[in-house]
Amino acid sequence: MLQTPPQRSDLLRRKVELLREPSSTRPAVYVIEANGVKAVVKDFGDNGFFYRNLIGRFLVWREKKAYRRLRGVKGTPRLFRVVDGCALVLEYIPGKSLENTRLTGKLPPVFFEDLRALVGAFHAREICHCDLKRAANILVGHDGKPYVLDWSAAIMKTEFRFPPLSLIYRRFILDDFNAVTKYQLRHCPETVTAEARDRYLHRSRAEKAIRALRDRLRELLQRVV
């Protein structure tokens, strides 16, 4: 994939499919093909000058850190490279978004077992996704396995190691698992344990306070991603 160090113009020449148009605060997402290999590009190059060079480059740097932390975790795309500081070139994984599965039928229990194991695997690397409740961020691969995409809002334990941020980090861990329960309840509710269901549906006052802090943080992250 792009054997010589490319420039953004090289990516645009190899574009074969547009997945998302850029907006004032969101990057373009498109598929490229080079040497018979496809890749997905997340590209801030068409955003405004200040957003591209201040916010865009910062977000690319953060997401690059996340993919480096996730290296070797099966079920997450590989980062091939960063181009011009404002575009990420990522592994292309064939499949369909979990967002579209309502139209194509139910998923089997084993899918959610694998998804829960995948969430545990990246938590073991001390990183939370923070946006798994957005179904578009979970892919059902052609191999039937789950893949977690878009790590732009991810946070690492080292960034939240001191109270009260450490409490928010633990809340994000629960949220990642609760997202799995949410989809499992939709597709195969009979397989959800009473403990997981209770954790998803009921929260203490302390948890609600932490959720409020977490939601404010998530709003800030989502405004720039």
Side-chain angles (χ1 to χ4, degrees):
M1 170 57 57
L2 300 172
Q3 298 298 322
T4 57
Q7 297 179 334
R8 183 170 174 267
S9 57
D10 298 316
L11 302 180
L12 295 173
R13 282 200 304 272
R14 291 173 167 85
K15 181 163 58 174
V16 295
E17 182 183 359
L18 179 66
L19 301 179
R20 187 178 75 194
E21 293 274 3
S23 70
S24 59
T25 59
R26 301 185 76 189
V29 180
Y30 52 88
V31 178
I32 63 170
E33 187 169 352
N35 306 315
V37 178
K38 286 184 176 181
V40 174
V41 178
K42 190 173 184 178
D43 185 358
F44 287 89
D46 286 329
N47 295 94
F49 177 84
F50 289 106
Y51 189 88
R52 178 177 71 247
N53 288 291
L54 294 178
I55 304 299
R57 288 179 182 275
F58 173 73
L59 293 175
V60 166
W61 171 74
R62 278 194 57 82
E63 195 162 1
K64 179 178 70 172
K65 282 179 59 180
Y67 282 115
R68 285 181 173 173
R69 177 68 63 94
L70 293 163
R71 188 177 296 159
V73 176
K74 189 172 182 181
T76 60
R78 289 178 293 156
L79 172 65
F80 289 128
R81 63 174 71 237
V82 173
V83 176
D84 290 350
C86 64
L88 294 150
V89 183
L90 302 162
E91 179 184 9
Y92 173 83
I93 300 171
K96 61 185 177 183
S97 166
L98 190 61
E99 197 171 35
N100 299 325
T101 55
R102 287 185 178 182
L103 305 176
T104 57
K106 300 294 185 180
L107 290 169
V110 67
F111 177 85
F112 299 100
E113 293 172 12
D114 291 341
L115 180 56
R116 200 172 292 275
L118 174 56
V119 171
F122 59 70
H123 286 172
R125 297 285 181 96
E126 299 188 339
I127 184 169
C128 287
H129 185 276
C130 302
D131 201 18
L132 287 184
K133 289 187 178 179
R134 186 181 297 177
N137 290 335
I138 301 174
L139 189 75
V140 184
H142 283 178
D143 58 3
K145 299 290 186 181
Y147 293 84
V148 173
L149 313 177
D150 193 353
W151 289 82
S152 55
I155 60 172
M156 299 180 193
K157 186 177 181 180
T158 52
E159 300 169 329
F160 282 67
R161 59 185 179 272
F162 300 117
L165 294 180
S166 58
L167 298 176
I168 296 174
Y169 181 81
R170 287 203 292 270
R171 182 68 239 178
F172 274 124
I173 287 178
L174 287 176
D175 283 349
D176 281 352
F177 280 120
N178 280 342
V180 180
T181 302
K182 169 188 172 182
Y183 301 121
Q184 195 172 356
L185 285 168
R186 181 182 300 165
H187 287 267
C188 44
E190 69 283 357
T191 66
V192 179
T193 66
E195 181 184 2
R197 187 189 298 265
D198 185 65
R199 188 166 55 240
Y200 176 69
L201 295 175
H202 304 290
R203 297 170 179 97
S204 67
R205 288 184 179 179
E207 286 180 311
K208 289 178 181 178
I210 294 169
R211 273 175 64 91
L213 288 172
R214 176 218 60 189
D215 289 344
R216 291 198 176 188
L217 176 63
R218 177 179 285 156
E219 286 174 11
L220 290 173
L221 289 170
Q222 290 179 341
R223 282 177 187 174
V224 295
V225 300

